[in-house]
Amino acid sequence: MVDDPTAPEVQRQKVKTILENTSLKEDDTWYLLPYKWWIQWKNYVHYDDDDTNMQNPAHPGPINNADLLEGETRLKNDLIDGSDYYMVPASAWNFLLNRYSGGPEIQRKVIKVGNGNQLQLEVYLLTLHVYKKTGQSMVSRTDVISFMVSKAATVKYLKNKLSQHLSLAPHNCRLWGEIDGQMRLLTETESLEDARLVDENAVVLESRQANNVSFADGPPQFRPENDNGIHASTSTTAADVRDLSGPVHGYATRSSYNNPYAASAAGTSTMGSYYSGASSNNTGGLEKGVCGLSNLGNTCFMNSALQCLSNTQALTQYFLADRHRGELNTTNPLGMQGKIAEHYGDLIHKVWSGKFSSVSPTDFKWQLGKFAPQFSGYRQHDSQELLAFLLDGLHEDLNRVTVKPYVEAKDYDGREDPIIAAESWNNHLLRNQSIIVDTFMGQLKSTLVCPDCGKVSITFDPFMYLSLPLPMAQERSVPIILCNTVTGEMPVKYAVNVSKRAKIGEMRQALAVISGMKAEEIILTDVCFGKVYSFLDDTQAVSVIRPNDITVGFCVGPRAEGSTLLQVTQRRPERNSYSKSTNYSTFGMPFLVTLPPGGTNVDVYRKIWTVVKRLVSPQNGQSMDVDAGEAGDNYPDTFPFQVRHLDRSSIRCGKCNSYSCPGCPVDPDDALFNKMRDSAVSLDWHAIAPGERVFDEQLQKETITHPSAKGDDSSSGLSVRSCLELFLTKEKLSPDDAWYCPQCKVFREATKKFDLWAMPPVLVIHLKRFQYNRWSRDKIDAFVDFPVTSLDLSEYVMSPEDKANPPIYDLFAVSNHSGGLGGGHYTAVAKNSIDSEWYSFNDSSAYGTSDTYARTLFFALY
């Protein structure tokens, strides 16, 4: 008997086998899947062993990658692997696509990065803005074409592709790149990464008229676009960015799949700040150090960390005095040949020159990616992750110890703590001496106790920062919007408190209690981009709901046997100025209604009208609140919308299954409603005039806030002290972290306790706001009280020297993270050492502020 290839267990085994036997190989192609779809599919096929208790998990439906894109091919910014998308090899993609259909396909190549030739999937490609120069003419910044290409592609490859696109002979062309404000002729054998081109870089393709004609002397010059000499800013929409297809890079392509309902709005990216290494001169009287850093493409995490370090007075004075040049350790095998320290120093000189309102850290970013491949692309990272690497890198590049002696650690042997601590610190200084050690390093006491034999092990270890956990309650508050589609009343926003280990069914019961609705009449969904993305199954864990998810419940009334649950998606017509055709874009809140057994097309219109009539604007001074029972046979004329068949993914017709069909219309007659497989329709609003709508746009967004959703966690009681006390609490090691007891000669789940022994001059405190589980990466947004002045840690410190001179700290810099993991953004707030004023740093913007830190504090410097 041949196994059914569509059976969930066959799919599970097939994909598991592919993933377990596929590793990264250079130039291989991998594909992106929406992470939510991937999780739904895993549930459907019982991919994980502990998922087998889920009863009748929902079918995942077609693959819909459109929500990952801006325009036709460009990925949205700040997407995170394992949270927004999942990568699978080509064989797995083809297998899944053949069974579930959908698209568009988003393929990416495996490339080598960094000095170590490490393999990496290049998710984000370079977007380059290309200008054409012919002969002796100057270059206009308004005449630009944007392309996406891999950073692993060579300059020659790029030149040939651009020449082909512009119908030019490649041997009559050469490429220039604008790097740190200077035009540089690019070497054709270099990769784009080695040529130091970054995302949103300006590139000039210079051409000559014929073989015997020389190229112009000197680099290309841009034509001034306005009287004051400052470059005009050019913006490019995602739809304007074109692909440079070819085997050398993983370009985003669309298959024959066509999504007529994809939103037409595309984000823009401003090019102005990338045209020079330093922007306009400081004519506004800004203080030294009040200087923004250009975002080079998802580099806000780097900018935030750099601004915090830049405002560390002792470190910045060291670099401004050029003391680092005499201490560069270029032979340290643990360092980066002195390059990171050298280029960081160059950046600090620019930032503190007082000449610029913002600078572009392209040179530093290139060096960073060269020695740390994990930072070489344009993916978002944690600012603390960058800070930790940079502190360690600066230390090794500036280590005054050029020959490190071998140091043997001695056992505790019952000796007194001050003796062991001094011995450990002196041993550390024999191998490590730098400005970073002088400024940032303290000492922790670590105590391990074997639970079996009582063996005690005490060590004293250096630290450069404290990563503190947040003491959190065992409950979680989940925001839910509840829509009563029986009465059509305005949606109500609730906050439901449930255990973090609760199931969706328990959350639905809790929602029913506070709303007064019947639990069996409530259906919970995950809504994304105006569509019902998935139905939440009672057996699923509450942890599948991520912080940024929009959870919507629909009270659909009692459902008799034979009734139909109808999914309705709102759309509006948008005229295509080029093809003169009409497309439909999804918007607003989708909803669910119950159609009784034997329901007709007229019943469909009446059910929908009940829900949306409150949204309709008066037209020509007359109310649109028409009773469906009095409308006769003129439903299409009476109601300001057309109902069409859709599938539940809202990307193709639910009747004829065509992607190009906007949806076969549902005729408003007494015929039985033709229930399709997915039982979904669109509500297509009519346009009464160009730019005008028959519905009230504001009412689409309004909700009533229930008292449960008005809570304020700013008084949660969390403080830096409570976080520190949790960090210092004794804990039992897990089996995975078991300690090898030298007395028992086996691994033991020992107890472990940290204590603060000696504190550094500058204290870095990092809050562990990100939590991870098998479903998602979550962020803890709880407010933590951080004192701005006089943080006294003397009660926690054990060193006699520190007790005699209490460590009391004043806050001077903060890295903030706002938003969720899928679209978060890093900024910084810091106190200037010259004028003692606080300034906010948001990429290239720098301005005075009265707010010293935000509720989203990620790490702080004291």
Side-chain angles (χ1 to χ4, degrees), residues 122-185:
E122 187 180 25
V123 178
Y124 281 96
L125 307 177
L126 290 179
T127 296
L128 301 178
H129 304 293
V130 181
Y131 305 85
K132 182 180 175 184
K133 180 185 186 301
T134 304
Q136 302 296 325
S137 63
M138 298 186 76
V139 182
S140 171
R141 289 198 185 273
T142 59
D143 186 13
V144 59
I145 308 174
S146 298
F147 295 91
M148 289 195 306
V149 65
S150 168
K151 64 185 175 187
T154 63
V155 172
K156 183 177 181 180
Y157 171 86
L158 176 62
K159 186 193 76 170
N160 290 343
K161 284 294 182 180
L162 293 176
S163 301
Q164 178 183 354
H165 182 82
L166 297 172
S167 301
L168 299 171
H171 61 274
N172 285 329
C173 297
R174 62 181 182 177
L175 275 179
W176 297 79
E178 193 169 25
I179 300 168
D180 284 341
Q182 303 293 325
M183 272 296 173
R184 184 168 74 86
L185 184 62

Side-chain angles (χ1 to χ4, degrees), residues 499-563:
S499 166
K500 290 183 177 180
R501 297 183 178 182
K503 300 292 186 180
I504 295 295
E506 298 172 64
M507 187 177 73
R508 187 164 60 89
Q509 292 287 345
L511 176 62
V513 171
I514 62 174
S515 66
M517 306 292 181
K518 295 181 179 179
E520 63 271 18
E521 295 180 2
I522 297 175
I523 298 176
L524 294 176
T525 67
D526 177 15
V527 170
C528 185
F529 298 106
K531 307 170 189 176
V532 173
Y533 197 93
S534 64
F535 289 81
L536 299 179
D537 189 279
D538 276 359
T539 60
Q540 290 177 285
V542 171
S543 58
V544 301
I545 302 175
R546 301 179 301 174
N548 288 335
D549 287 352
I550 300 175
T551 305
V552 182
F554 299 100
C555 182
V556 296
R559 284 177 287 167
E561 185 177 352
S563 62

Side-chain angles (χ1 to χ4, degrees), residues 13 38 57 124 856-857:
Q13 189 57 45
W38 172 250
Y124 281 96
T856 53
L857 183 145

Side-chain angles (χ1 to χ4, degrees), residues 463-743:
F463 71 89
M464 285 192 291
Y465 52 85
L466 296 176
S467 287
L468 306 184
L470 274 70
M472 298 303 295
Q474 294 303 307
E475 283 196 341
R476 176 184 175 186
S477 180
V478 181
I480 302 177
I481 298 173
L482 184 60
C483 304
N484 190 331
T485 58
V486 177
T487 63
E489 297 169 342
M490 185 176 292
V492 180
K493 185 183 295 183
Y494 295 90
V496 180
N497 294 320
V498 291
S499 166
K500 290 183 177 180
R501 297 183 178 182
K503 300 292 186 180
I504 295 295
E506 298 172 64
M507 187 177 73
R508 187 164 60 89
Q509 292 287 345
L511 176 62
V513 171
I514 62 174
S515 66
M517 306 292 181
K518 295 181 179 179
E520 63 271 18
E521 295 180 2
I522 297 175
I523 298 176
L524 294 176
T525 67
D526 177 15
V527 170
C528 185
F529 298 106
K531 307 170 189 176
V532 173
Y533 197 93
S534 64
F535 289 81
L536 299 179
D537 189 279
D538 276 359
T539 60
Q540 290 177 285
V542 171
S543 58
V544 301
I545 302 175
R546 301 179 301 174
N548 288 335
D549 287 352
I550 300 175
T551 305
V552 182
F554 299 100
C555 182
V556 296
R559 284 177 287 167
E561 185 177 352
S563 62
T564 301
L565 184 66
L566 198 60
Q567 177 179 315
V568 184
T569 302
Q570 296 189 69
R571 303 189 307 186
R572 51 186 167 196
E574 294 185 350
R575 187 75 171 171
N576 190 313
S577 58
Y578 295 100
S579 63
K580 306 301 181 184
S581 61
T582 299
N583 294 329
Y584 292 91
S585 64
T586 302
F587 80 106
M589 179 72 76
F591 54 90
L592 306 174
V593 294
T594 301
L595 193 64
T600 65
N601 292 341
V602 170
D603 293 326
V604 172
Y605 275 82
R606 289 175 177 174
K607 288 285 185 179
I608 292 176
W609 176 251
T610 299
V611 178
V612 304
K613 65 180 180 180
R614 69 177 183 84
L615 305 175
V616 177
S617 305
Q619 187 178 18
N620 299 326
Q622 297 180 358
S623 173
M624 292 293 296
D625 190 6
V626 180
D627 182 76
E630 300 174 357
D633 296 328
N634 299 319
Y635 287 113
D637 295 328
T638 301
F639 297 115
F641 55 80
Q642 170 74 59
V643 177
R644 298 179 186 273
H645 286 287
L646 277 187
D647 72 341
R648 283 200 168 170
S649 66
S650 301
I651 60 176
R652 63 181 175 183
C653 178
K655 187 174 184 179
C656 67
N657 290 325
S658 170
Y659 286 113
S660 59
C661 175
C664 294
V666 175
D667 295 325
D669 51 31
D670 292 327
L672 287 177
F673 176 67
N674 187 4
K675 292 188 291 185
M676 298 295 108
R677 180 188 62 182
D678 284 337
S679 298
V681 296
S682 70
L683 182 169
D684 294 348
W685 290 95
H686 297 322
I688 56 177
E692 296 183 26
R693 306 290 181 190
V694 295
F695 56 85
D696 189 317
E697 191 84 39
Q698 187 59 36
L699 283 177
Q700 287 275 1
K701 306 172 184 177
E702 289 185 359
T703 59
I704 298 171
T705 302
H706 186 265
S708 64
K710 295 178 180 179
D712 180 10
D713 67 350
S714 63
S715 59
S716 60
L718 291 185
S719 67
V720 64
R721 291 181 178 276
S722 60
C723 296
L724 180 60
E725 287 166 2
L726 182 61
F727 173 75
L728 299 176
T729 300
K730 183 188 297 185
E731 63 175 345
K732 182 181 179 180
L733 297 179
S734 67
D736 292 337
D737 297 322
W739 169 63
Y740 183 80
C741 176
Q743 196 158 287

Side-chain angles (χ1 to χ4, degrees), residues 113 120 124 151 193 297-299 301 365 369 372-379 381:
V113 296
Q120 183 183 90
Y124 281 96
K151 64 185 175 187
E193 179 183 26
N298 282 339
T299 57
F301 73 95
K365 171 67 168 63
Q374 67 269 32
F375 298 118
S376 64
Y378 299 95
R379 297 171 62 184
H381 294 269

Side-chain angles (χ1 to χ4, degrees), residues 36-113:
K36 286 186 177 181
W37 187 94
W38 172 250
I39 291 300
Q40 276 189 269
W41 177 82
K42 289 180 69 177
N43 292 339
Y44 179 65
V45 302
H46 300 296
Y47 191 88
D48 297 307
D49 293 337
D50 53 354
D51 280 346
T52 54
N53 62 347
M54 185 179 293
Q55 301 298 318
N56 300 319
H59 188 280
I63 301 169
N64 183 11
N65 274 334
D67 292 339
L68 298 177
L69 298 173
E70 286 181 340
E72 293 293 310
T73 58
R74 193 175 189 181
L75 277 183
K76 292 179 178 177
N77 290 331
D78 299 327
L79 298 182
I80 295 176
D81 186 13
S83 181
D84 299 294
Y85 65 86
Y86 189 80
M87 302 289 294
V88 295
S91 52
W93 165 263
N94 292 329
F95 178 82
L96 294 170
L97 186 66
N98 286 337
R99 280 146 188 80
Y100 293 95
S101 71
E105 64 180 35
I106 306 174
Q107 55 176 265
R108 291 294 186 262
K109 291 285 187 180
V110 179
I111 64 172
K112 286 184 177 181
V113 296

